[in-house]
Amino acid sequence: MSTNTVPAALLAAIKARKFSSIGKMCAPGIDFEAWTPVGHWVASDGTTVGRILEVWFTPGAGSTIVYSNETAGARGAASLEIEVSWKLPPEDQLRVLRQVYLLTIKADKITHARVYCAGLHTDFPEVDLEKQRRNKGIIVGGKPGPGPRVVAVAKAS
């Protein structure tokens, strides 16, 4: 990933936990919205954007960027996908957070941002697949039930 792009600078600021510098990357009147399992986050100024990201990444310490991908498109469109891990005391439980940032950039400032996050991933619970299948009617009488139905839809002309 190039280090001289806005998404790369955003990634570096998140990794270094320099949240006030994230606010400086935002244009005045930024249109920022984010959706996470704990709520819908909205901001119209860089300071608030920086504070929102600080809330997300403050618990724990020692963050590591596990994965990142940056893309750029026409008319200032850009995206940043990241997966960050860090340990949360007291048991040093590993936390992993995956986020997608869809950005519009003008004059090296973020003017529009949408962030999507499925939430923290820790240990995945054991799942009784047979029970889930029975509950959903996928297994009938100990045998697999009918598969998904495919229905042909007439093409609108």
Side-chain angles (χ1 to χ4, degrees):
M1 181 182 316
S2 174
T3 57
N4 60 354
T5 66
V6 173
L10 177 61
L11 177 64
I14 290 170
K15 185 176 181 180
R17 296 177 176 268
K18 294 187 177 185
F19 303 107
S20 61
S21 66
I22 293 171
K24 294 173 186 171
M25 293 179 208
C26 299
I30 183 173
D31 178 13
F32 176 92
E33 288 190 61
W35 291 266
T36 69
V38 295
H40 178 209
W41 308 72
V42 179
S44 58
D45 64 274
T47 302
T48 304
V49 171
R51 288 181 183 154
I52 288 171
L53 270 69
E54 185 174 7
V55 167
W56 293 344
F57 292 104
T58 294
S63 63
T64 302
I65 303 298
V66 177
Y67 167 83
S68 67
N69 185 43
E70 172 188 340
T71 62
R75 298 183 182 175
S79 69
L80 174 65
E81 297 175 71
I82 62 170
E83 191 168 293
V84 181
S85 72
W86 69 96
K87 292 186 178 182
L88 189 64
E91 297 94 21
D92 285 337
Q93 181 183 27
L94 182 65
R95 295 290 184 102
V96 179
L97 183 69
R98 183 162 179 96
Q99 294 182 322
V100 176
Y101 294 74
L102 303 176
L103 310 169
T104 302
I105 301 165
K106 291 184 182 172
D108 291 330
K109 295 284 186 182
I110 302 169
T111 61
H112 183 97
R114 296 294 181 263
V115 182
Y116 302 95
C117 175
L120 288 172
H121 302 285
T122 56
D123 295 325
F124 292 97
E126 291 293 322
V127 176
D128 184 347
L129 291 176
E130 296 302 317
K131 181 179 178 183
Q132 294 292 322
R133 290 177 179 141
R134 281 190 302 277
N135 289 344
K136 295 180 189 283
I138 299 172
I139 293 182
V140 180
K143 295 182 182 179
R149 285 184 27 198
V150 175
V151 179
V153 177
K155 185 176 179 183
S157 50

